[in-house]
Amino acid sequence: MWKYIKPEELTNNPFEMIGKDWMLVTAGNKEQCNTMTASWGGLGIMWGKQVAFVFVRPQRYTKEFIDKEERFTLTFFSKEYKKELGYLGKVSGRDENKIEKANLTVSYENEVPYFEEANIVLVCKKLYHQYLEEQCFIGTENVEKWYPDKDFHMMYVVEIEDVLIKTNS
């Protein structure tokens, strides 16, 4: 069962949620959706709104779904799902039905896909997107380390519209 809370009521540490435990970025519709594991991003305030920042490489199949839809979800899981999240980050939905193989259940919140197995769901509306640009980096170490192929991430700034928390009842 799910309970709605306000974004400011989240008590989880975003550094652990995103960087350590990872999240799934999921987009699409009831006909087709795709997901990817992400460990880069953040939560904060921008333009007077509660937002998330998400970064997606251009070659990721999920990016096609994100770009087609107005909304997508960020879902967070308990540690017992780390293996599934690792798998979903390595395999492309272009090649197989990776959601089915990971044994996850897709549900929808106002037509936006998320996973029943998650503990936290952020329903997000796109506000802004832009590719990271090489000339904007201060120094070259991050370009050399993270972008040897010059496949710079697309940054999405998204408004957090809804937060669903799994309850025990």
Side-chain angles (χ1 to χ4, degrees):
M1 207 162 142
W2 295 95
K3 170 182 150 184
Y4 287 90
I5 65 168
K6 296 176 184 175
E8 63 268 21
E9 294 177 301
L10 275 172
T11 59
N12 302 65
N13 180 329
F15 296 99
E16 287 189 27
M17 288 171 60
I18 298 168
K20 186 176 176 188
D21 297 337
W22 308 335
M23 63 183 164
L24 290 181
V25 181
T26 308
N29 53 46
K30 289 189 176 182
E31 286 77 44
Q32 188 179 17
C33 69
N34 199 57
T35 194
M36 60 173 266
T37 303
S39 62
W40 288 14
L43 305 175
I45 304 294
M46 192 163 192
W47 303 310
K49 300 175 186 288
Q50 294 149 325
V51 299
F53 306 90
V54 182
F55 298 84
V56 180
R57 288 204 193 259
Q59 63 267 38
R60 295 302 297 259
Y61 186 47
T62 303
K63 185 180 179 307
E64 296 176 26
F65 292 84
I66 292 170
D67 290 344
K68 285 181 192 172
E69 302 295 334
E70 185 177 7
R71 291 173 174 78
F72 60 86
T73 59
L74 306 177
T75 51
F76 302 88
F77 295 77
S78 65
K79 293 183 187 333
E80 69 188 73
Y81 285 94
K82 192 75 166 191
K83 180 180 175 186
E84 288 84 351
L85 271 64
Y87 170 77
L88 291 167
K90 291 180 184 130
V91 176
S92 175
R94 283 188 188 98
D95 302 327
E96 62 183 55
N97 187 339
K98 66 181 188 175
I99 294 170
E100 184 177 286
K101 287 193 175 183
N103 293 314
L104 294 182
T105 309
V106 179
S107 290
Y108 297 87
E109 177 63 28
N110 295 323
E111 308 287 321
V112 185
Y114 72 94
F115 297 103
E116 278 296 323
E117 294 80 3
N119 290 332
I120 300 171
V121 177
L122 306 181
V123 180
C124 302
K125 178 181 178 183
K126 293 186 300 185
L127 298 175
Y128 180 84
H129 68 277
Q130 179 177 338
Y131 279 108
L132 300 181
E133 297 178 359
E134 184 171 5
Q135 67 270 17
C136 295
F137 283 85
I138 310 300
T140 60
E141 63 275 357
N142 281 320
V143 173
E144 292 165 2
K145 180 176 182 178
W146 299 105
Y147 302 103
D149 297 328
K150 307 296 186 207
D151 58 340
F152 295 98
H153 285 88
M154 172 70 77
M155 175 188 65
Y156 295 91
V157 178
V158 295
E159 179 178 6
I160 301 170
E161 292 187 315
D162 289 310
V163 179
L164 290 79
I165 301 289
K166 187 161 281 177
T167 63
N168 294 331
S169 51

